[in-house]
């Protein structure tokens, strides 16, 4: 994703209010939401994440906003300031920021899928999966190391992931690992994709189109394509190292909180070690 202002305000998705907000006995919901939006917009000039609650004797609404961590404060404010101007649903996400509000008492799993897109364009070379999986492992490792945000490139793939600002590190890693698993399972060989869960998102974009085209007519290990074979081996090794790093962080999380988040990592370890043996 780019931080170009022209892209930051593109609508990604919007969701309507849930049933808990459909009942408003005092008719005060419009005023409560107005106060909530005013507070969120005001805070967006000095923070990239903020959550609060506003209510009366009948209903309390909690809300939050978050901007991408690579935005400036001015970019964050300009993005969040656009949200109340729209026909605001309970959850709305632009490319650069999002806003979410709900009635107190309503529960949503932080791992619940909110939105997913996969490109129609597919990769055609045998090396794509290794690059993709290495990049995915690297971004999970990155959010664990980088306070819930990671913007990284791996080989020819650019990956971004971010967790909601109130998630602890282990919960963040678990959330992004689940988003990554969805991208892997459902986007497959799509050269780009985005997965948004309740409390995190990840996106990837493969820019090795020329590399795919040039390799598609050559077999690995034959003549000039021998370099492709070597590159594939290096990608597998680098990917395995990234997965081992993820495994280490998850192990530390599980040791300190006895919380399981290692299914994704164990599957990746098995995949890479089998790939190295082939």
């Amino acid at each position: 994703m780019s931080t170009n202002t022209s892209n930051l305000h593109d609508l990604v998705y919007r969701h309507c209010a849930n049933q808990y907000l459909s009942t408003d006995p005092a008719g005060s919901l419009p005023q409560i939401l107005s106060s909530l939006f005013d507070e969120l917009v005001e805070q967006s000039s000095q923070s990239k994440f903020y959550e609060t609650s506003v209510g009366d004797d009948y209903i309390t609404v909690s809300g939050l906003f978050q901007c991408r961590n690579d935005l400036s404060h001015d970019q964050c404010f300009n993005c969040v300031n656009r949200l109340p101007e729209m026909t605001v649903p309970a959850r709305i996400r632009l490319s650069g920021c999002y806003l979410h509000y709900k009635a107190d008492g309503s529960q949503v799993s932080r791992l619940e899928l909110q939105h997913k897109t996969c490109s129609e364009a597919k990769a055609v070379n045998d090396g794509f999966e290794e690059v993709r999986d290495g990049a995915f492992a690297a971004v999970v490792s990155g959010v664990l190391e980088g306070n819930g945000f990671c913007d990284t490139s791996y080989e020819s793939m650019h990956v971004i992931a971010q967790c909601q600002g109130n998630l602890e590190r282990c919960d963040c890693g678990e959330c992004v690992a689940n988003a990554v698993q969805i991208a892997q399972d459902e986007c497959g060989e799509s050269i780009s994709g985005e997965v948004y869960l309740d409390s995190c998102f990840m996106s990837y974009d493969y820019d090795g189109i020329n590399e795919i085209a040039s390799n598609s007519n050559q077999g690995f290990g034959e003549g000039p394509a021998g370099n492709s074979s070597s590159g594939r081996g290096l990608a597998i090794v680098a990917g395995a190292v990234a997965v081992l790093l993820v495994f280490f962080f998850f192990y530390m999380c599980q040791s300190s909180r006895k919380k399981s988040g290692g299914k994704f990592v164990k599957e990746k370890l098995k995949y890479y070690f089998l790939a190295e043996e082939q």
Side-chain angles (χ1 to χ4, degrees), residues 115-187:
H115 182 74
K116 170 182 64 69
T117 60
C118 305
S119 69
E120 294 184 2
K122 306 290 184 181
V124 296
N125 70 329
D126 292 336
F128 173 78
E129 290 186 359
E130 285 81 3
V131 173
R132 179 200 65 192
D133 293 348
F136 286 179
V139 80
V140 175
S141 173
V143 295
L144 288 166
E145 293 180 295
N147 298 319
F149 177 79
C150 179
D151 182 346
T152 187
S153 293
Y154 179 92
E155 298 285 325
S156 300
M157 185 166 287
H158 181 216
V159 193
I160 296 178
Q162 184 171 11
C163 293
Q164 193 165 285
N166 55 6
L167 283 192
E168 296 183 4
R169 187 176 68 162
C170 295
D171 292 333
C172 175
E174 181 186 21
C175 188
V176 173
N178 275 269
V180 159
Q181 191 69 61
I182 292 171
Q184 183 186 50
D185 292 344
E186 301 190 21
C187 290

Side-chain angles (χ1 to χ4, degrees), residues 78-91:
N78 290 333
C79 187
V80 174
N81 192 44
R82 296 177 67 91
L83 298 175
E85 298 174 0
M86 303 178 177
T87 304
V88 179
R91 187 189 301 263

Side-chain angles (χ1 to χ4, degrees), residues 121-125 128 189-191 206 212:
K122 306 290 184 181
V124 296
N125 70 329
F128 173 78
E189 295 182 345
S190 293
I191 62 173
Y206 186 77
I212 290 177

Side-chain angles (χ1 to χ4, degrees), residues 17-25 29 58-61 102-108:
N18 58 35
Q19 60 182 354
Y20 294 96
L21 287 172
S22 62
T23 302
D24 181 21
L29 183 59
Y58 299 96
I59 186 172
T60 299
V61 179
K102 62 182 180 179
D104 278 7
S106 58
Q107 298 294 325
V108 178

Side-chain angles (χ1 to χ4, degrees), residues 5-23:
T5 303
S6 60
N7 297 328
L8 296 178
H9 305 154
D10 292 345
L11 178 67
V12 177
Y13 69 84
R14 65 175 77 197
H15 291 170
C16 297
N18 58 35
Q19 60 182 354
Y20 294 96
L21 287 172
S22 62
T23 302

